[in-house]
Amino acid sequence: MKIVAICGLGVGSSVIGKMNIDSIVSDNGFDDVDVDTVDLGSVSGKTAEIYVTTRELFDNLPEDIKPKTIVLTNFVDKADIEKHLVPKIKEIQGQ
Amino acid sequence: MGVKNIAPSDIQMNVHANNWQEALTVAAQPLLDADKITTDYITNMIESVKKLGPYIVIAPGLALGHARPSAAVKQSSIAIATLDQPVKFGNKDNDPVDLVIILASINDHDHLGLMKKIVTFLNNKKNLQWLRSASQNEAEQIADAINKGK
């Protein structure tokens, strides 16, 4: 499974998002989960099962990506990210 | 290899800014003074917010000022500033901002080692509280805590 964190430039917030998601994936023992980052302009070329972004950027996403996207208001709060992300991963993995 | 540590001189406590542009400018000042970035980088950070919106406020009260890696960055670095009075960036969820982190990188990976340490530091709510209430003479201790990856 692929998770992609989206931010404006692909170097800042999405990297922080990726670091927290990597750590959540490892804490929960999920197998075969790959986490990547991308900037808003390149998101169409990046296929994933789950996308993560902020409210400000969500409106700018391509329509086909929106249903697969989790909107986070806090990229630093690992517990909050975990609460949103883990059920989604389990749903997709069919657990 | 990449940059591994934050310099205590790049941490400023209780600085003043009248608006979000000033907040990014004042927080980046130590990097400019130390020739780690040029004034273009500050301009680029501000332009990026104007273009993409205030999404850089990535947590309540916390703005991550950054622009794309470019020739405006001489040395990858991170600066931190707390504001004496919070300013609004126009972010629906996370305004107002009292903590500004400036990220500058020469490429897309040179900053990752230090970023990881900052993220680890910020994951601990006690550290966030400490940072927000700290005075300037604690800058060295804060740098030390970040650099040790606590």
Side-chain angles (χ1 to χ4, degrees):
Chain A
M1 183 194 314
K2 187 130 187 148
I3 301 174
V4 168
I6 308 164
C7 76
L9 306 172
V11 288
S13 7
S14 62
V15 172
I16 291 185
K18 173 182 158 52
M19 285 171 177
N20 281 317
I21 294 167
D22 275 336
S23 146
I24 290 165
V25 164
S26 144
D27 289 351
N28 284 274
F30 291 122
D31 292 327
D32 301 323
V33 178
D34 191 31
V35 189
D36 213 343
T37 62
V38 73
D39 66 276
L40 192 61
S42 314
V43 66
S44 287
K46 205 93 170 179
T47 310
E49 279 75 30
I50 303 174
Y51 297 87
V52 172
T53 195
T54 65
R55 196 184 301 276
E56 269 72 25
L57 297 180
F58 180 78
D59 291 340
N60 301 314
L61 291 179
E63 289 304 321
D64 59 322
I65 303 251
K66 282 184 180 175
K68 298 185 199 169
T69 301
I70 298 174
V71 175
L72 297 176
T73 54
N74 190 335
F75 266 58
V76 174
D77 187 344
K78 209 172 108 182
D80 186 61
I81 300 174
E82 190 161 12
K83 201 171 69 191
H84 287 89
L85 190 64
V86 167
K88 191 84 182 170
I89 297 176
K90 286 186 174 167
E91 185 192 315
I92 288 171
Q93 288 193 334
Q95 288 180 9
Chain B
M1 276 303 288
V3 59
K4 286 279 184 287
N5 291 313
I6 186 165
S9 54
D10 292 340
I11 299 175
Q12 305 175 88
M13 294 300 158
N14 300 310
V15 292
H16 185 74
N18 292 308
N19 52 50
W20 67 265
Q21 291 94 330
E22 276 186 31
L24 293 177
T25 306
V26 74
Q29 192 63 43
L31 303 183
L32 188 64
D33 291 344
D35 275 334
K36 293 173 181 173
I37 59 169
T38 69
T39 52
D40 282 350
Y41 194 75
I42 296 173
T43 309
N44 294 349
M45 285 195 295
I46 292 171
E47 286 305 314
S48 163
V49 174
K50 285 182 180 165
K51 186 171 160 225
L52 296 162
Y55 81 94
I56 64 163
V57 189
I58 56 166
L62 194 173
L64 179 73
H66 62 292
R68 256 184 233 284
S70 71
V73 181
K74 304 288 177 203
Q75 188 186 325
S76 300
S77 45
I78 288 178
I80 298 176
T82 58
L83 303 177
D84 60 355
Q85 285 169 352
V87 298
K88 286 187 179 168
F89 274 65
N91 185 294
K92 288 188 202 83
D93 302 298
N94 294 327
D95 264 347
V97 169
D98 65 341
L99 177 59
V100 181
I101 298 178
I102 302 292
L103 161 70
S105 189
I106 54 166
N107 57 34
D108 61 4
H109 57 265
D110 202 56
H111 58 303
L112 296 180
L114 181 52
M115 279 274 275
K116 181 94 196 161
K117 290 179 178 176
I118 301 265
V119 169
T120 302
F121 183 80
L122 296 176
N123 277 155
N124 185 334
K125 286 198 168 68
K126 281 183 187 161
N127 285 336
L128 265 175
Q129 282 169 5
W130 175 32
L131 197 55
R132 288 193 150 107
S133 62
S135 54
Q136 189 60 48
N137 59 19
E138 290 171 88
E140 198 148 340
Q141 284 168 269
I142 290 167
D144 204 40
I146 292 170
N147 293 336
K148 282 181 177 154
K150 280 182 189 168

